[in-house]
Amino acid sequence: MVNKLATIFLVDDDKNIVLLLEKFLEYYGHKIIDCAFNGEEAIQKYKNFDKFPDLVIMDHRMPFKNGIQATKEILKRNPLSKIIFLSADFTAREEAIELGINSFIEKPFDFHKLSEIIKNTLPKKKKQSQLV
Amino acid sequence: MLNSTSSNNVKDLSKVLKVIINHIRDILVESDLNGNVIYLNPKVYDVLGYKSEEVIGLNIDKFIHPEDIPNLAGKTKDLLIRGGQMVIDFRALHKNGHYVHLSANYTVIEENQNTKLIAVLYEISPQEESEEINRFIAENINDTIAVLDDKLELMFINDMQKKILGFPTEDILGKSPLELLHPDDIKKAKRIFSRTLKKEHGRGQFRIRSKDNSYKWMDVNGRLTFDIDGNQRILLVSRDITQEKGRELKIIEQNKDLEQLNLLKNEFLSRASHELKTPLASIKGNADLMKMIHHKNLKPDIIVMLEVIQRNCNRLENIINKIIESSKLETSKIELLTTKEDLSLLIKSCVNEVQSLAKMRNLKINLNVKNLLITKFNKDQIHEVILNLLTNAINYSPPGGIIDIFSKVNDNVIIISLKDRGFGFTADEKLKIFKKFGKINRREQGFDVLVESSGLGLYISKKIIELHGGKIWVESDGRNKGSIFSFTLPII
């Protein structure tokens, strides 16, 4: 449980959700490398990362730029980035999936489901080596 | 000739008269007072097929239609009393056996103290008859009838026009009807004229300017025809539909407003649901996480409280999802994606899903559904309908009862029915339950129910079934008499 399973970048304009996700993900041993509270901030921070995170958890409805716009820019910067959408707006689902995100989870979310999806999204090699 | 003797003059005149009589286009009959024919000109051969000599000496009644004889006899009697002339129509027997319509002009003459009847008869042609009928119709019906000549100008219009449009007839004769049209309708009218000329008929609704410059909506029916000389004519029969059109336009306008309102409402619902879900995610997430991480440190009563929060978060989430789903089903852009499925298998799987709930309530579910009910439907949506009907039957039945599910196949339609022995519905309640938030609050009514639902389940079920081209309804004899919910799906 205490092993650092993955590095995660959290993007959500709701601080309560960010805090909740932090607690949950850290409980499972993941490392939150940074947080952004709107799409624009997410793009800027992602561009400046020295090392890309293993996973991005992305909200959709946010100020300045939304999740779809931020995802487009992030995928331009790193086409291999793994992104899980976590949004209460189901209307963004199809467009996000077409962009090539790894998964779409609707809010309110279930922790078991979220942890299952994270597990399946992360590269197996790394997961296996860390689990050993 | 003028210098000849008077006897020569008489002779000549008699010759001339004979020529005239033999060549006039009418039949000339001379008869005595009893109707015996004394003289008949040869024209009778052309009209009735007899030679004059075949008829002379016979009674004229032999050649008249039996139904017309009393009228002719009565009128002839009157004529003999008052003298002068009379005109009468009757049917005369043709040598071939059919009857010919004749119009007769009778005159009483006195010759050598003998009273005689002279009749000039002519055939009423079918054309004359129909022209007369046409004129009668044109002047007496409630439609405006107009005839256009080959230049598409008005050559005839009946008086109905005056009542609707108010023009003196002479003001519009010779004009093109296009001059009276609303400018926006001219293009359409030209198109319909050309269609009428090509396909012999055309129809359209136009705004036509009346004398006071207001516009009347007219439904115009055009037909291509030709007069007896072969000239092209267009017959226009038009009806004033201003009032109907006004009502129709008002309804279209109202529908547009309603559609707009509906879209706004759906957008609002969708946004509102999103805004509700975000804080709910936070509440639910924290409760879940607290229980998950600190489970060992929490006192049992705190855990019970957390579970109440979790349960109610799930309930609220369910209501919000139903609101979103119903607003999705209301937008016209929804597309139904169907696959060929076995409805009986889906029903069986739904029954399995609710088995534990039914056991909790000590209810038995009897399944009498035929195997292989194959048709095309959206599996997720129909799954939701069946599950909704089943959970309703379980939730709203007193413990210890039986729920029957049965199927019927009628005229390419599958009918599925769920019969419960539950609380039943009054007539008023039956009208309400398929409406949005039309649920009956059973707890308020003092019934023992498992849970209260969102109030959208049956509304959504109805929308889904209607989207599939089916119907859904409820039958119930009243309070505590149970109910039967049924729905249909067409076999495609």
Side-chain angles (χ1 to χ4, degrees):
Chain A
M1 233 21 123
V2 284
N3 287 339
K4 296 281 180 284
L5 281 175
T7 53
I8 298 176
F9 178 39
L10 285 179
V11 186
D12 199 308
D13 65 329
D14 188 325
K15 288 196 173 87
N16 294 315
I17 298 286
V18 172
L19 212 61
L20 178 70
L21 285 171
E22 265 181 350
K23 278 185 204 157
F24 163 73
L25 294 166
E26 282 170 0
Y27 177 72
Y28 273 90
H30 301 294
K31 186 188 177 190
I32 311 301
I33 58 155
D34 209 343
C35 304
F37 298 97
N38 63 64
E40 184 59 44
E41 191 188 354
I43 296 166
Q44 293 314 321
K45 284 194 168 172
Y46 198 89
K47 280 182 181 168
N48 293 324
F49 283 141
D50 292 333
K51 199 179 172 227
F52 292 130
D54 296 325
L55 183 68
V56 181
I57 294 183
M58 177 74 77
D59 185 22
H60 175 56
R61 282 199 192 195
M62 291 180 293
F64 308 118
K65 278 188 176 159
N66 64 27
I68 298 280
Q69 291 164 319
T71 300
K72 280 182 189 166
E73 294 299 316
I74 288 172
L75 285 171
K76 260 191 220 167
R77 182 84 178 84
N78 174 20
L80 297 174
S81 52
K82 308 268 181 202
I83 302 172
I84 294 176
F85 255 61
L86 195 61
S87 171
D89 186 358
F90 60 89
T91 58
R93 186 190 188 96
E94 268 176 47
E95 202 182 344
I97 286 171
E98 267 175 38
L99 279 180
I101 62 154
N102 296 76
S103 203
F104 187 103
I105 304 173
E106 256 190 71
K107 286 181 192 165
F109 52 91
D110 178 72
F111 283 121
H112 297 294
K113 194 177 169 192
L114 179 61
S115 75
E116 193 65 22
I117 285 173
I118 291 173
K119 208 166 89 184
N120 292 335
T121 306
L122 290 172
K124 280 188 178 143
K125 262 187 182 174
K126 191 175 177 184
K127 198 175 71 181
Q128 277 165 357
S129 67
Q130 283 180 342
L131 280 173
V132 169
Chain B
M1 270 263 237
L2 286 173
N3 297 328
S4 320
T5 58
S6 64
S7 70
N8 276 346
N9 279 347
V10 171
K11 261 188 196 167
D12 288 343
L13 189 61
S14 157
K15 271 185 192 167
V16 170
L17 274 174
K18 204 170 176 184
V19 170
I20 293 171
I21 287 167
N22 285 342
H23 289 88
I24 57 171
R25 295 172 71 175
D26 299 332
I27 305 171
L28 204 66
V29 189
E30 182 186 352
S31 66
D32 64 18
L33 293 181
N34 297 321
N36 296 317
V37 177
I38 302 165
Y39 172 77
L40 196 64
N41 71 342
K43 182 68 187 172
V44 69
Y45 182 78
D46 295 342
V47 179
L48 298 174
Y50 307 100
K51 287 182 179 164
S52 304
E53 51 270 29
E54 286 181 85
V55 181
I56 292 171
L58 297 175
N59 194 291
I60 200 162
D61 284 356
K62 283 193 171 172
F63 303 93
I64 309 286
H65 192 289
E67 285 174 12
D68 295 344
I69 291 174
N71 185 33
L72 181 63
K75 289 210 169 153
T76 311
K77 206 172 157 190
D78 288 347
L79 179 70
L80 290 172
I81 296 166
R82 60 176 166 81
Q85 288 189 329
M86 73 162 186
V87 176
I88 186 166
D89 295 346
F90 54 79
R91 287 161 289 177
L93 183 65
H94 191 280
K95 203 175 174 183
N96 288 345
H98 67 272
Y99 283 94
V100 177
H101 283 256
L102 297 177
S103 182
N105 194 330
Y106 273 85
T107 310
V108 186
I109 59 163
E110 296 284 337
E111 196 187 62
N112 305 327
Q113 294 182 334
N114 284 329
T115 308
K116 290 178 184 170
L117 289 166
I118 303 285
V120 180
L121 310 163
Y122 70 91
E123 188 182 357
I124 305 171
S125 66
Q127 172 127 9
E128 265 178 85
E129 271 182 89
S130 73
E131 269 176 21
E132 206 169 313
I133 292 166
N134 288 347
R135 216 174 304 124
F136 176 81
I137 292 170
E139 295 307 332
N140 289 284
I141 63 168
N142 285 327
D143 292 338
T144 300
I145 295 177
V147 180
L148 305 183
D149 60 19
D150 43 8
K151 286 178 247 149
L152 299 180
E153 287 169 355
L154 276 164
M155 58 181 292
F156 169 81
I157 189 155
N158 70 343
D159 284 350
M160 198 57 203
Q161 169 278 130
K162 289 183 195 162
K163 283 187 200 162
I164 299 166
L165 302 173
F167 291 106
T169 307
E170 57 276 19
D171 283 11
I172 50 173
L173 284 184
K175 284 189 178 172
S176 161
L178 295 176
E179 289 177 39
L180 296 175
L181 280 185
H182 189 286
D184 294 349
D185 291 350
I186 291 178
K187 218 172 158 184
K188 182 177 164 194
K190 282 184 176 168
R191 212 169 48 234
I192 287 177
F193 271 143
S194 81
R195 191 188 305 157
T196 308
L197 291 173
K198 270 186 217 152
K199 298 195 167 175
E200 296 191 352
H201 54 82
R203 187 172 188 171
Q205 296 183 346
F206 306 99
R207 284 157 286 183
I208 299 177
R209 184 167 51 80
S210 62
K211 194 160 188 289
D212 65 9
N213 283 326
S214 67
Y215 283 96
K216 300 279 183 193
W217 272 101
M218 306 278 276
D219 181 24
V220 183
N221 219 329
R223 182 163 281 278
L224 177 68
T225 177
F226 294 92
D227 70 5
I228 40 169
D229 299 322
N231 297 311
Q232 172 196 293
R233 301 284 182 252
I234 290 181
L235 177 68
L236 297 174
V237 180
S238 316
R239 176 157 291 188
D240 181 9
I241 53 160
T242 311
Q243 279 191 347
E244 291 94 315
K245 202 75 188 172
R247 280 195 290 270
E248 188 187 310
L249 291 174
K250 207 172 163 187
I251 290 170
I252 290 173
E253 206 57 35
Q254 282 173 342
N255 281 347
K256 266 190 198 165
D257 288 349
L258 284 174
E259 230 167 81
Q260 193 61 31
L261 264 176
N262 207 26
L263 281 176
L264 273 174
K265 185 204 70 185
N266 288 332
E267 171 65 14
F268 166 77
L269 276 177
S270 163
R271 284 189 76 97
S273 301
H274 171 263
E275 298 311 315
L276 288 170
K277 276 177 153 192
T278 306
L280 183 64
S282 196
I283 301 168
K284 183 178 182 268
N286 277 294
D288 288 351
L289 200 62
M290 202 190 292
K291 211 177 140 199
M292 196 191 285
I293 299 174
H294 304 291
H295 190 261
K296 286 177 188 164
N297 307 325
L298 294 173
K299 287 183 183 167
D301 57 336
I302 306 279
I303 291 178
V304 170
M305 283 179 202
L306 280 175
E307 280 167 357
V308 171
I309 296 175
Q310 284 177 311
R311 253 201 322 277
N312 283 283
C313 282
N314 289 339
R315 200 174 145 199
L316 195 54
E317 188 186 347
N318 185 34
I319 295 174
I320 296 168
N321 284 337
K322 294 265 188 241
I323 291 174
I324 293 172
E325 195 184 351
S326 65
S327 74
K328 265 198 226 169
L329 285 168
E330 277 165 18
T331 47
S332 50
K333 48 190 175 199
I334 194 148
E335 203 185 326
L336 187 67
L337 298 168
T338 60
T339 46
K340 210 161 208 159
E341 303 284 348
D342 181 355
L343 187 61
S344 68
L345 277 183
L346 184 63
I347 294 171
K348 280 170 202 159
S349 120
C350 289
V351 170
N352 281 336
E353 277 181 65
V354 298
Q355 232 21 298
S356 58
L357 191 68
K359 266 188 192 157
M360 265 171 69
R361 198 79 173 155
N362 193 20
L363 289 164
K364 196 177 170 232
I365 302 176
N366 283 337
L367 199 55
N368 290 307
V369 174
K370 287 178 192 163
N371 285 330
L372 292 174
L373 296 170
I374 310 284
T375 185
K376 278 172 109 178
F377 54 86
N378 181 303
K379 203 175 171 187
D380 290 340
Q381 289 186 339
I382 298 300
H383 174 264
E384 188 178 348
V385 173
I386 300 166
L387 213 56
N388 181 45
L389 294 178
L390 264 170
T391 44
N392 277 352
I394 294 168
N395 285 337
Y396 299 115
S397 285
I402 297 168
I403 295 164
D404 289 303
I405 308 173
F406 44 94
S407 67
K408 245 195 269 177
V409 178
N410 263 357
D411 299 330
N412 279 329
V413 168
I414 301 171
I415 309 167
I416 303 295
S417 300
L418 283 91
K419 186 180 177 187
D420 65 54
R421 276 84 173 163
F423 308 128
F425 297 94
T426 63
D428 278 354
E429 287 170 351
K430 278 194 275 188
L431 293 176
K432 255 179 79 180
I433 52 169
F434 288 104
K435 292 185 178 159
K436 212 183 236 180
F437 300 111
K439 72 165 188 151
I440 319 297
N441 196 322
R442 299 300 194 185
R443 281 203 177 133
E444 277 175 17
Q445 290 179 350
F447 290 106
D448 167 23
V449 295
L450 211 54
V451 285
E452 284 293 2
S453 58
S454 66
L456 286 165
L458 286 175
Y459 171 76
I460 290 172
S461 299
K462 185 169 188 266
K463 285 272 169 196
I464 291 174
I465 292 295
E466 285 172 354
L467 208 58
H468 281 78
K471 280 181 188 168
I472 187 166
W473 69 94
V474 64
E475 294 157 77
S476 175
D477 291 335
R479 178 68 65 240
N480 289 326
K481 298 216 167 133
S483 54
I484 305 174
F485 278 88
S486 304
F487 70 88
T488 64
L489 280 182
I491 298 175
I492 310 166

